[in-house]
Amino acid sequence: MPLTYAQAGVSVDEGDRFVRLIRRDVRRTFNPRVLRDIGAFGAFYDGRFPGMRSPVLVSSVDGVGTKLLVAQMAGQHGSVGEDLVNHCVNDILVCGARPLFFLDYFATGRLRPETAAQVIHGFTRGCRRNGCALIGGETAEMPGMYSEDEYDLAGTIVGVVERRRIIDGRRIRKGDVLVGLRSSGLHTNGYSLARAVLFKHFQISSYIDELGTTIGEALLKVHRSYLTPVMLILGQFPVHGMAHITGGGIAGNTERVLPRGRRLRIDWNAWERPPLF
């Protein structure tokens, strides 16, 4: 008997069922600029930008890292998709761009449609809250590459900014004020270190009085999107540079946008550290 695709560990039927589960949710992110339904070989988005003289597209791609392991340990899959959308939104936001559309990649050892649908719901929730459309993606079932209960995520975002409004740090001058916006937690960075430190002493379900929640719930708090506050700030103040604080920390990420010869002067005692840190 010839070996079938299903016997090799890949279920086309489950893939089709997964698409049916997410189709309505994904469509809720669409706007009139999305020109085709999901399922085509490519995603179509109207590229006209009325009111903009010189629109520039800004894109970024990223993942969630080992925060996924915490989600899989906890059996909670509904927030990591939103984490990834927000992370990507912040990456292009610091360039002055607002998001247009998002594409996702979901890879797993065995496709479990209900679990995958929870992840995609996180993508759609993040897209709706950030005013962008989820217009395409890829679902890959790869037995042998991942164990049956493992999955990995990646996402790509595309946004737009008027050329003269690009923020790249070139206007930063001596005496400019450095302002930080509070995070919601560890966001999507540093989880290899956090897991190595915390899970030596605590279980994922351990309740910590200082946190007011369990270790798992604290680690799975959604990566904050800064779109709304930053857009309000850009409408009122001349912002010379911005940095999304990710794996390199405050200094490492902010230094990426400093012109040559400029240095940071940070008062590390100017704010109260959140208990998780």
Side-chain angles (χ1 to χ4, degrees):
M1 292 289 290
L3 191 66
T4 67
Y5 208 11
Q7 288 170 329
V10 179
S11 174
V12 175
D13 290 339
E14 288 292 81
D16 291 340
R17 186 164 76 87
F18 170 59
V19 173
R20 291 194 297 272
L21 282 175
I22 67 171
R23 185 181 298 273
R24 184 176 180 182
D25 204 16
V26 171
R27 283 173 173 166
R28 291 176 64 197
T29 72
F30 286 5
N31 57 52
R33 304 185 71 174
V34 180
L35 304 182
R36 295 290 185 276
D37 199 359
I38 63 172
F41 286 99
F44 296 82
Y45 194 88
D46 189 339
R48 293 172 295 177
F49 300 99
M52 299 186 75
R53 297 184 60 184
S54 184
V56 175
L57 296 179
V58 184
S59 60
S60 181
V61 60
D62 220 310
V64 184
T66 60
K67 188 173 187 177
L68 291 178
L69 295 179
V70 181
Q72 290 160 27
M73 289 170 63
Q76 298 179 19
H77 313 286
S79 61
V80 287
E82 188 173 0
D83 282 325
L84 185 49
V85 173
N86 290 349
H87 184 116
C88 290
V89 166
N90 291 340
D91 276 349
I92 64 170
L93 175 62
V94 297
C95 303
R98 57 181 175 82
L100 297 172
F101 58 84
F102 184 84
L103 301 100
D104 73 88
Y105 174 77
F106 179 93
T108 185
R110 180 182 178 185
L111 181 61
R112 302 185 187 277
E114 283 74 18
T115 296
Q118 291 180 49
V119 175
I120 301 303
H121 182 67
F123 283 136
T124 62
R125 184 171 58 247
C127 285
R128 291 196 307 272
R129 289 177 174 175
N130 287 287
C132 61
L134 177 59
I135 63 172
E138 162 70 357
T139 302
E141 189 173 20
M142 297 190 288
M145 181 70 73
Y146 302 97
S147 71
E148 286 194 356
D149 293 320
E150 287 181 334
Y151 60 84
D152 197 10
L153 305 178
T156 298
I157 198 161
V158 175
V160 66
V161 61
E162 185 76 71
R163 183 183 295 272
R164 63 186 176 85
R165 297 186 183 276
I166 291 174
I167 298 173
D168 57 11
R170 287 188 292 180
R171 291 183 294 170
I172 293 175
R173 299 291 183 266
K174 181 178 179 180
D176 282 357
V177 177
L178 182 63
V179 177
L181 299 182
R182 186 183 179 92
S183 75
S184 53
L186 298 188
H187 283 183
T188 54
N189 294 276
Y191 279 76
S192 295
L193 176 59
R195 289 184 304 107
V197 172
L198 294 174
F199 292 146
K200 282 184 179 180
H201 307 284
F202 304 104
Q203 300 295 317
I204 195 167
S205 59
S206 298
Y207 185 90
I208 308 298
D209 288 335
E210 192 178 8
L211 299 176
T213 186
T214 66
I215 287 289
E217 290 168 339
L219 290 176
L220 289 175
K221 282 190 176 180
V222 173
H223 187 136
R224 180 183 177 187
S225 167
Y226 294 95
L227 181 65
T228 297
V230 166
M231 283 299 173
L232 287 172
I233 291 168
L234 292 178
Q236 299 182 54
F237 301 99
V239 176
H240 293 170
M242 290 190 286
H244 184 199
I245 308 306
T246 55
I250 292 174
N253 283 284
T254 309
E255 286 170 352
R256 292 166 60 181
V257 300
L258 289 182
R260 182 175 297 180
R262 297 274 75 85
R263 292 187 300 173
L264 298 172
R265 182 178 296 166
I266 300 172
D267 179 1
W268 294 100
N269 297 311
W271 68 93
E272 183 180 346
R273 305 288 174 88
L276 182 61
F277 289 88

mmCIF file of all heavy atoms in Angstrom, residues 56-64 83-105 123 132 153-160 188 223 244 246 253 256:
data_model
loop_
_atom_site.group_PDB
_atom_site.id
_atom_site.type_symbol
_atom_site.label_atom_id
_atom_site.label_comp_id
_atom_site.label_asym_id
_atom_site.label_seq_id
_atom_site.Cartn_x
_atom_site.Cartn_y
_atom_site.Cartn_z
ATOM 1 N N VAL A 56 5.543 56.504 1.870
ATOM 2 C CA VAL A 56 6.631 55.536 1.954
ATOM 3 C C VAL A 56 6.126 54.325 2.736
ATOM 4 O O VAL A 56 5.597 54.473 3.842
ATOM 5 C CB VAL A 56 7.864 56.134 2.668
ATOM 6 C CG1 VAL A 56 8.945 55.071 2.863
ATOM 7 C CG2 VAL A 56 8.412 57.317 1.880
ATOM 8 N N LEU A 57 6.285 53.132 2.169
ATOM 9 C CA LEU A 57 5.895 51.913 2.866
ATOM 10 C C LEU A 57 7.006 51.503 3.826
ATOM 11 O O LEU A 57 8.186 51.548 3.492
ATOM 12 C CB LEU A 57 5.621 50.790 1.869
ATOM 13 C CG LEU A 57 4.445 50.996 0.913
ATOM 14 C CD1 LEU A 57 4.325 49.813 -0.025
ATOM 15 C CD2 LEU A 57 3.140 51.208 1.678
ATOM 16 N N VAL A 58 6.602 51.098 5.017
ATOM 17 C CA VAL A 58 7.539 50.658 6.050
ATOM 18 C C VAL A 58 7.118 49.255 6.484
ATOM 19 O O VAL A 58 5.935 49.031 6.776
ATOM 20 C CB VAL A 58 7.524 51.602 7.268
ATOM 21 C CG1 VAL A 58 8.579 51.191 8.277
ATOM 22 C CG2 VAL A 58 7.733 53.052 6.837
ATOM 23 N N SER A 59 8.044 48.316 6.513
ATOM 24 C CA SER A 59 7.697 46.939 6.851
ATOM 25 C C SER A 59 8.616 46.388 7.924
ATOM 26 O O SER A 59 9.728 46.875 8.140
ATOM 27 C CB SER A 59 7.759 46.046 5.602
ATOM 28 O OG SER A 59 9.053 46.049 5.044
ATOM 29 N N SER A 60 8.135 45.337 8.601
ATOM 30 C CA SER A 60 8.930 44.684 9.630
ATOM 31 C C SER A 60 8.439 43.249 9.788
ATOM 32 O O SER A 60 7.266 42.954 9.556
ATOM 33 C CB SER A 60 8.804 45.433 10.963
ATOM 34 O OG SER A 60 9.598 44.818 11.963
ATOM 35 N N VAL A 61 9.334 42.358 10.174
ATOM 36 C CA VAL A 61 8.973 40.963 10.430
ATOM 37 C C VAL A 61 9.569 40.549 11.764
ATOM 38 O O VAL A 61 10.684 40.952 12.111
ATOM 39 C CB VAL A 61 9.455 40.034 9.289
ATOM 40 C CG1 VAL A 61 10.966 40.096 9.135
ATOM 41 C CG2 VAL A 61 8.982 38.599 9.509
ATOM 42 N N ASP A 62 8.832 39.759 12.541
ATOM 43 C CA ASP A 62 9.335 39.357 13.852
ATOM 44 C C ASP A 62 8.620 38.102 14.332
ATOM 45 O O ASP A 62 7.699 37.594 13.674
ATOM 46 C CB ASP A 62 9.154 40.488 14.872
ATOM 47 C CG ASP A 62 10.360 40.610 15.808
ATOM 48 O OD1 ASP A 62 10.769 39.569 16.372
ATOM 49 O OD2 ASP A 62 10.894 41.718 15.965
ATOM 50 N N GLY A 63 9.043 37.616 15.489
ATOM 51 C CA GLY A 63 8.421 36.476 16.140
ATOM 52 C C GLY A 63 8.150 36.791 17.599
ATOM 53 O O GLY A 63 8.363 37.915 18.052
ATOM 54 N N VAL A 64 7.695 35.788 18.348
ATOM 55 C CA VAL A 64 7.365 35.966 19.761
ATOM 56 C C VAL A 64 8.435 35.351 20.659
ATOM 57 O O VAL A 64 8.449 35.572 21.858
ATOM 58 C CB VAL A 64 5.973 35.363 20.073
ATOM 59 C CG1 VAL A 64 5.560 35.605 21.510
ATOM 60 C CG2 VAL A 64 4.922 35.938 19.148
ATOM 61 N N ASP A 83 0.232 39.608 20.914
ATOM 62 C CA ASP A 83 1.605 40.016 21.231
ATOM 63 C C ASP A 83 2.374 40.342 19.964
ATOM 64 O O ASP A 83 3.052 41.375 19.879
ATOM 65 C CB ASP A 83 2.353 38.872 21.941
ATOM 66 C CG ASP A 83 2.002 38.726 23.401
ATOM 67 O OD1 ASP A 83 1.762 39.736 24.059
ATOM 68 O OD2 ASP A 83 1.973 37.583 23.883
ATOM 69 N N LEU A 84 2.285 39.441 18.988
ATOM 70 C CA LEU A 84 3.090 39.584 17.780
ATOM 71 C C LEU A 84 2.635 40.761 16.934
ATOM 72 O O LEU A 84 3.458 41.516 16.405
ATOM 73 C CB LEU A 84 3.043 38.288 16.968
ATOM 74 C CG LEU A 84 3.925 38.227 15.729
ATOM 75 C CD1 LEU A 84 5.357 38.662 16.021
ATOM 76 C CD2 LEU A 84 3.917 36.809 15.156
ATOM 77 N N VAL A 85 1.324 40.946 16.802
ATOM 78 C CA VAL A 85 0.823 42.099 16.063
ATOM 79 C C VAL A 85 1.320 43.394 16.703
ATOM 80 O O VAL A 85 1.852 44.285 16.028
ATOM 81 C CB VAL A 85 -0.715 42.100 15.991
ATOM 82 C CG1 VAL A 85 -1.228 43.400 15.366
ATOM 83 C CG2 VAL A 85 -1.220 40.905 15.182
ATOM 84 N N ASN A 86 1.156 43.493 18.015
ATOM 85 C CA ASN A 86 1.563 44.719 18.710
ATOM 86 C C ASN A 86 3.063 44.963 18.601
ATOM 87 O O ASN A 86 3.507 46.108 18.442
ATOM 88 C CB ASN A 86 1.144 44.648 20.175
ATOM 89 C CG ASN A 86 -0.356 44.740 20.361
ATOM 90 O OD1 ASN A 86 -1.091 45.065 19.427
ATOM 91 N ND2 ASN A 86 -0.830 44.443 21.550
ATOM 92 N N HIS A 87 3.846 43.894 18.708
ATOM 93 C CA HIS A 87 5.298 44.036 18.570
ATOM 94 C C HIS A 87 5.643 44.621 17.199
ATOM 95 O O HIS A 87 6.438 45.563 17.092
ATOM 96 C CB HIS A 87 5.965 42.670 18.746
ATOM 97 C CG HIS A 87 7.456 42.718 18.724
ATOM 98 N ND1 HIS A 87 8.236 42.375 19.803
ATOM 99 C CD2 HIS A 87 8.340 43.082 17.751
ATOM 100 C CE1 HIS A 87 9.512 42.533 19.501
ATOM 101 N NE2 HIS A 87 9.598 42.947 18.257
ATOM 102 N N CYS A 88 5.040 44.076 16.158
ATOM 103 C CA CYS A 88 5.330 44.553 14.806
ATOM 104 C C CYS A 88 4.831 45.977 14.597
ATOM 105 O O CYS A 88 5.503 46.790 13.942
ATOM 106 C CB CYS A 88 4.713 43.607 13.777
ATOM 107 S SG CYS A 88 5.520 41.990 13.676
ATOM 108 N N VAL A 89 3.653 46.296 15.142
ATOM 109 C CA VAL A 89 3.130 47.661 15.054
ATOM 110 C C VAL A 89 4.114 48.644 15.679
ATOM 111 O O VAL A 89 4.426 49.696 15.109
ATOM 112 C CB VAL A 89 1.755 47.768 15.735
ATOM 113 C CG1 VAL A 89 1.355 49.232 15.960
ATOM 114 C CG2 VAL A 89 0.682 47.069 14.902
ATOM 115 N N ASN A 90 4.629 48.305 16.860
ATOM 116 C CA ASN A 90 5.571 49.197 17.543
ATOM 117 C C ASN A 90 6.855 49.382 16.747
ATOM 118 O O ASN A 90 7.457 50.460 16.762
ATOM 119 C CB ASN A 90 5.891 48.656 18.933
ATOM 120 C CG ASN A 90 4.712 48.722 19.883
ATOM 121 O OD1 ASN A 90 3.760 49.480 19.661
ATOM 122 N ND2 ASN A 90 4.744 47.922 20.920
ATOM 123 N N ASP A 91 7.300 48.328 16.064
ATOM 124 C CA ASP A 91 8.535 48.422 15.285
ATOM 125 C C ASP A 91 8.445 49.474 14.182
ATOM 126 O O ASP A 91 9.393 50.209 13.934
ATOM 127 C CB ASP A 91 8.881 47.058 14.676
ATOM 128 C CG ASP A 91 9.644 46.158 15.634
ATOM 129 O OD1 ASP A 91 10.086 46.642 16.693
ATOM 130 O OD2 ASP A 91 9.802 44.963 15.319
ATOM 131 N N ILE A 92 7.302 49.521 13.493
ATOM 132 C CA ILE A 92 7.178 50.516 12.424
ATOM 133 C C ILE A 92 6.693 51.856 12.968
ATOM 134 O O ILE A 92 6.965 52.907 12.377
ATOM 135 C CB ILE A 92 6.275 50.031 11.276
ATOM 136 C CG1 ILE A 92 4.830 49.821 11.727
ATOM 137 C CG2 ILE A 92 6.840 48.758 10.651
ATOM 138 C CD1 ILE A 92 3.865 49.576 10.569
ATOM 139 N N LEU A 93 6.011 51.826 14.110
ATOM 140 C CA LEU A 93 5.523 53.062 14.724
ATOM 141 C C LEU A 93 6.676 53.992 15.077
ATOM 142 O O LEU A 93 6.569 55.215 14.903
ATOM 143 C CB LEU A 93 4.719 52.721 15.973
ATOM 144 C CG LEU A 93 4.212 53.879 16.829
ATOM 145 C CD1 LEU A 93 3.246 54.759 16.046
ATOM 146 C CD2 LEU A 93 3.546 53.347 18.097
ATOM 147 N N VAL A 94 7.783 53.445 15.568
ATOM 148 C CA VAL A 94 8.896 54.304 15.964
ATOM 149 C C VAL A 94 9.564 54.962 14.758
ATOM 150 O O VAL A 94 10.390 55.859 14.918
ATOM 151 C CB VAL A 94 9.946 53.535 16.799
ATOM 152 C CG1 VAL A 94 9.331 53.057 18.104
ATOM 153 C CG2 VAL A 94 10.550 52.377 16.022
ATOM 154 N N CYS A 95 9.198 54.533 13.554
ATOM 155 C CA CYS A 95 9.650 55.213 12.335
ATOM 156 C C CYS A 95 8.641 56.266 11.879
ATOM 157 O O CYS A 95 8.853 56.942 10.865
ATOM 158 C CB CYS A 95 9.853 54.199 11.210
ATOM 159 S SG CYS A 95 11.000 52.874 11.605
ATOM 160 N N GLY A 96 7.526 56.385 12.622
ATOM 161 C CA GLY A 96 6.485 57.338 12.278
ATOM 162 C C GLY A 96 5.356 56.753 11.458
ATOM 163 O O GLY A 96 4.441 57.476 11.067
ATOM 164 N N ALA A 97 5.392 55.426 11.203
ATOM 165 C CA ALA A 97 4.419 54.800 10.309
ATOM 166 C C ALA A 97 3.211 54.260 11.069
ATOM 167 O O ALA A 97 3.333 53.778 12.195
ATOM 168 C CB ALA A 97 5.073 53.674 9.521
ATOM 169 N N ARG A 98 2.064 54.321 10.411
ATOM 170 C CA ARG A 98 0.863 53.674 10.937
ATOM 171 C C ARG A 98 0.637 52.383 10.158
ATOM 172 O O ARG A 98 0.950 52.282 8.971
ATOM 173 C CB ARG A 98 -0.359 54.595 10.826
ATOM 174 C CG ARG A 98 -0.654 55.086 9.415
ATOM 175 C CD ARG A 98 -1.863 56.004 9.368
ATOM 176 N NE ARG A 98 -2.073 56.569 8.048
ATOM 177 C CZ ARG A 98 -2.691 55.947 7.047
ATOM 178 N NH1 ARG A 98 -3.148 54.730 7.213
ATOM 179 N NH2 ARG A 98 -2.847 56.554 5.878
ATOM 180 N N PRO A 99 0.096 51.343 10.811
ATOM 181 C CA PRO A 99 -0.026 50.037 10.156
ATOM 182 C C PRO A 99 -1.144 49.983 9.128
ATOM 183 O O PRO A 99 -2.191 50.618 9.298
ATOM 184 C CB PRO A 99 -0.310 49.096 11.322
ATOM 185 C CG PRO A 99 -0.981 49.960 12.344
ATOM 186 C CD PRO A 99 -0.348 51.315 12.217
ATOM 187 N N LEU A 100 -0.918 49.225 8.073
ATOM 188 C CA LEU A 100 -1.914 48.978 7.036
ATOM 189 C C LEU A 100 -2.420 47.541 7.075
ATOM 190 O O LEU A 100 -3.617 47.302 7.183
ATOM 191 C CB LEU A 100 -1.335 49.273 5.653
ATOM 192 C CG LEU A 100 -0.915 50.704 5.370
ATOM 193 C CD1 LEU A 100 -0.177 50.776 4.027
ATOM 194 C CD2 LEU A 100 -2.124 51.633 5.373
ATOM 195 N N PHE A 101 -1.491 46.585 6.953
ATOM 196 C CA PHE A 101 -1.909 45.182 6.951
ATOM 197 C C PHE A 101 -0.827 44.288 7.538
ATOM 198 O O PHE A 101 0.331 44.667 7.656
ATOM 199 C CB PHE A 101 -2.314 44.709 5.555
ATOM 200 C CG PHE A 101 -1.251 44.834 4.496
ATOM 201 C CD1 PHE A 101 -0.275 43.867 4.326
ATOM 202 C CD2 PHE A 101 -1.254 45.923 3.634
ATOM 203 C CE1 PHE A 101 0.682 43.973 3.342
ATOM 204 C CE2 PHE A 101 -0.298 46.048 2.640
ATOM 205 C CZ PHE A 101 0.685 45.068 2.496
ATOM 206 N N PHE A 102 -1.265 43.072 7.898
ATOM 207 C CA PHE A 102 -0.435 42.109 8.617
ATOM 208 C C PHE A 102 -0.585 40.739 7.972
ATOM 209 O O PHE A 102 -1.662 40.391 7.485
ATOM 210 C CB PHE A 102 -0.885 42.061 10.084
ATOM 211 C CG PHE A 102 -0.058 41.180 10.983
ATOM 212 C CD1 PHE A 102 1.109 41.655 11.560
ATOM 213 C CD2 PHE A 102 -0.456 39.885 11.273
ATOM 214 C CE1 PHE A 102 1.875 40.852 12.403
ATOM 215 C CE2 PHE A 102 0.291 39.077 12.115
ATOM 216 C CZ PHE A 102 1.462 39.563 12.680
ATOM 217 N N LEU A 103 0.506 39.961 7.955
ATOM 218 C CA LEU A 103 0.479 38.583 7.476
ATOM 219 C C LEU A 103 1.133 37.696 8.524
ATOM 220 O O LEU A 103 2.134 38.081 9.136
ATOM 221 C CB LEU A 103 1.212 38.436 6.143
ATOM 222 C CG LEU A 103 0.677 39.280 4.987
ATOM 223 C CD1 LEU A 103 1.536 40.528 4.797
ATOM 224 C CD2 LEU A 103 0.645 38.473 3.691
ATOM 225 N N ASP A 104 0.581 36.494 8.723
ATOM 226 C CA ASP A 104 1.092 35.625 9.780
ATOM 227 C C ASP A 104 1.625 34.313 9.224
ATOM 228 O O ASP A 104 1.259 33.882 8.128
ATOM 229 C CB ASP A 104 -0.014 35.326 10.799
ATOM 230 C CG ASP A 104 -1.058 34.363 10.255
ATOM 231 O OD1 ASP A 104 -0.863 33.144 10.388
ATOM 232 O OD2 ASP A 104 -2.059 34.817 9.676
ATOM 233 N N TYR A 105 2.509 33.695 10.020
ATOM 234 C CA TYR A 105 3.031 32.359 9.741
ATOM 235 C C TYR A 105 2.863 31.529 11.000
ATOM 236 O O TYR A 105 3.318 31.924 12.083
ATOM 237 C CB TYR A 105 4.509 32.444 9.353
ATOM 238 C CG TYR A 105 5.188 31.099 9.182
ATOM 239 C CD1 TYR A 105 4.981 30.326 8.043
ATOM 240 C CD2 TYR A 105 6.050 30.604 10.166
ATOM 241 C CE1 TYR A 105 5.609 29.093 7.890
ATOM 242 C CE2 TYR A 105 6.687 29.375 10.016
ATOM 243 C CZ TYR A 105 6.462 28.631 8.883
ATOM 244 O OH TYR A 105 7.079 27.411 8.729
ATOM 245 N N PHE A 123 -4.322 37.185 16.691
ATOM 246 C CA PHE A 123 -3.912 38.015 15.558
ATOM 247 C C PHE A 123 -5.029 38.983 15.166
ATOM 248 O O PHE A 123 -4.786 40.177 14.962
ATOM 249 C CB PHE A 123 -3.581 37.141 14.344
ATOM 250 C CG PHE A 123 -2.255 36.445 14.406
ATOM 251 C CD1 PHE A 123 -2.142 35.110 14.046
ATOM 252 C CD2 PHE A 123 -1.104 37.103 14.801
ATOM 253 C CE1 PHE A 123 -0.929 34.456 14.075
ATOM 254 C CE2 PHE A 123 0.123 36.472 14.837
ATOM 255 C CZ PHE A 123 0.205 35.134 14.477
ATOM 256 N N CYS A 132 -5.567 47.644 11.505
ATOM 257 C CA CYS A 132 -4.964 47.068 10.305
ATOM 258 C C CYS A 132 -5.670 45.758 9.949
ATOM 259 O O CYS A 132 -6.395 45.187 10.765
ATOM 260 C CB CYS A 132 -3.459 46.865 10.474
ATOM 261 S SG CYS A 132 -2.965 45.737 11.792
ATOM 262 N N LEU A 153 5.546 30.978 15.657
ATOM 263 C CA LEU A 153 4.856 32.069 14.975
ATOM 264 C C LEU A 153 5.842 33.061 14.399
ATOM 265 O O LEU A 153 6.916 33.282 14.952
ATOM 266 C CB LEU A 153 3.948 32.843 15.947
ATOM 267 C CG LEU A 153 2.903 32.092 16.752
ATOM 268 C CD1 LEU A 153 2.168 33.073 17.668
ATOM 269 C CD2 LEU A 153 1.921 31.392 15.826
ATOM 270 N N ALA A 154 5.454 33.674 13.306
ATOM 271 C CA ALA A 154 6.151 34.841 12.779
ATOM 272 C C ALA A 154 5.106 35.744 12.145
ATOM 273 O O ALA A 154 4.025 35.287 11.753
ATOM 274 C CB ALA A 154 7.210 34.444 11.751
ATOM 275 N N GLY A 155 5.416 37.012 12.050
ATOM 276 C CA GLY A 155 4.466 37.949 11.464
ATOM 277 C C GLY A 155 5.177 39.043 10.695
ATOM 278 O O GLY A 155 6.297 39.438 11.032
ATOM 279 N N THR A 156 4.516 39.519 9.654
ATOM 280 C CA THR A 156 5.022 40.627 8.848
ATOM 281 C C THR A 156 3.979 41.727 8.813
ATOM 282 O O THR A 156 2.786 41.458 8.609
ATOM 283 C CB THR A 156 5.325 40.170 7.408
ATOM 284 O OG1 THR A 156 6.337 39.170 7.434
ATOM 285 C CG2 THR A 156 5.788 41.345 6.547
ATOM 286 N N ILE A 157 4.417 42.956 9.031
ATOM 287 C CA ILE A 157 3.512 44.098 8.975
ATOM 288 C C ILE A 157 4.003 45.092 7.938
ATOM 289 O O ILE A 157 5.211 45.221 7.704
ATOM 290 C CB ILE A 157 3.384 44.768 10.361
ATOM 291 C CG1 ILE A 157 2.140 45.657 10.412
ATOM 292 C CG2 ILE A 157 4.644 45.553 10.738
ATOM 293 C CD1 ILE A 157 1.692 45.984 11.811
ATOM 294 N N VAL A 158 3.051 45.751 7.305
ATOM 295 C CA VAL A 158 3.367 46.827 6.362
ATOM 296 C C VAL A 158 2.561 48.053 6.764
ATOM 297 O O VAL A 158 1.352 47.967 7.021
ATOM 298 C CB VAL A 158 3.037 46.424 4.911
ATOM 299 C CG1 VAL A 158 3.261 47.605 3.964
ATOM 300 C CG2 VAL A 158 3.891 45.235 4.481
ATOM 301 N N GLY A 159 3.238 49.189 6.839
ATOM 302 C CA GLY A 159 2.582 50.450 7.175
ATOM 303 C C GLY A 159 3.022 51.537 6.227
ATOM 304 O O GLY A 159 3.769 51.296 5.268
ATOM 305 N N VAL A 160 2.559 52.750 6.496
ATOM 306 C CA VAL A 160 2.863 53.863 5.598
ATOM 307 C C VAL A 160 3.134 55.128 6.399
ATOM 308 O O VAL A 160 2.560 55.342 7.472
ATOM 309 C CB VAL A 160 1.697 54.092 4.604
ATOM 310 C CG1 VAL A 160 0.426 54.571 5.327
ATOM 311 C CG2 VAL A 160 2.083 55.073 3.500
ATOM 312 N N THR A 188 7.695 40.782 24.658
ATOM 313 C CA THR A 188 8.014 39.515 23.994
ATOM 314 C C THR A 188 9.520 39.284 23.966
ATOM 315 O O THR A 188 10.029 38.627 23.047
ATOM 316 C CB THR A 188 7.461 39.493 22.552
ATOM 317 O OG1 THR A 188 7.941 40.638 21.851
ATOM 318 C CG2 THR A 188 5.954 39.503 22.533
ATOM 319 N N HIS A 223 1.876 42.105 25.124
ATOM 320 C CA HIS A 223 2.816 43.148 24.700
ATOM 321 C C HIS A 223 2.005 44.394 24.306
ATOM 322 O O HIS A 223 1.158 44.331 23.427
ATOM 323 C CB HIS A 223 3.608 42.625 23.501
ATOM 324 C CG HIS A 223 4.716 43.506 23.043
ATOM 325 N ND1 HIS A 223 5.956 43.002 22.721
ATOM 326 C CD2 HIS A 223 4.796 44.834 22.818
ATOM 327 C CE1 HIS A 223 6.745 43.984 22.320
ATOM 328 N NE2 HIS A 223 6.056 45.114 22.369
ATOM 329 N N HIS A 244 11.761 51.294 19.969
ATOM 330 C CA HIS A 244 10.949 50.231 20.558
ATOM 331 C C HIS A 244 11.870 49.416 21.458
ATOM 332 O O HIS A 244 12.840 48.827 20.987
ATOM 333 C CB HIS A 244 10.362 49.363 19.434
ATOM 334 C CG HIS A 244 9.433 48.293 19.918
ATOM 335 N ND1 HIS A 244 9.112 47.195 19.152
ATOM 336 C CD2 HIS A 244 8.759 48.146 21.083
ATOM 337 C CE1 HIS A 244 8.284 46.429 19.819
ATOM 338 N NE2 HIS A 244 8.051 46.977 20.991
ATOM 339 N N THR A 246 13.111 46.508 23.053
ATOM 340 C CA THR A 246 12.979 45.055 22.939
ATOM 341 C C THR A 246 14.189 44.395 23.585
ATOM 342 O O THR A 246 14.630 44.817 24.643
ATOM 343 C CB THR A 246 12.803 44.662 21.463
ATOM 344 O OG1 THR A 246 13.897 45.198 20.697
ATOM 345 C CG2 THR A 246 11.513 45.236 20.909
ATOM 346 N N ASN A 253 18.627 49.731 22.648
ATOM 347 C CA ASN A 253 17.698 50.057 21.562
ATOM 348 C C ASN A 253 17.692 51.543 21.241
ATOM 349 O O ASN A 253 17.619 51.930 20.077
ATOM 350 C CB ASN A 253 16.287 49.580 21.916
ATOM 351 C CG ASN A 253 16.127 48.087 21.748
ATOM 352 O OD1 ASN A 253 16.008 47.574 20.650
ATOM 353 N ND2 ASN A 253 16.155 47.370 22.863
ATOM 354 N N ARG A 256 20.459 52.921 19.009
ATOM 355 C CA ARG A 256 20.367 52.608 17.577
ATOM 356 C C ARG A 256 19.908 53.804 16.755
ATOM 357 O O ARG A 256 20.162 53.863 15.539
ATOM 358 C CB ARG A 256 19.399 51.431 17.356
ATOM 359 C CG ARG A 256 19.902 50.114 17.893
ATOM 360 C CD ARG A 256 18.811 49.066 17.968
ATOM 361 N NE ARG A 256 18.213 48.779 16.672
ATOM 362 C CZ ARG A 256 17.225 47.906 16.494
ATOM 363 N NH1 ARG A 256 16.740 47.237 17.529
ATOM 364 N NH2 ARG A 256 16.732 47.690 15.291
#
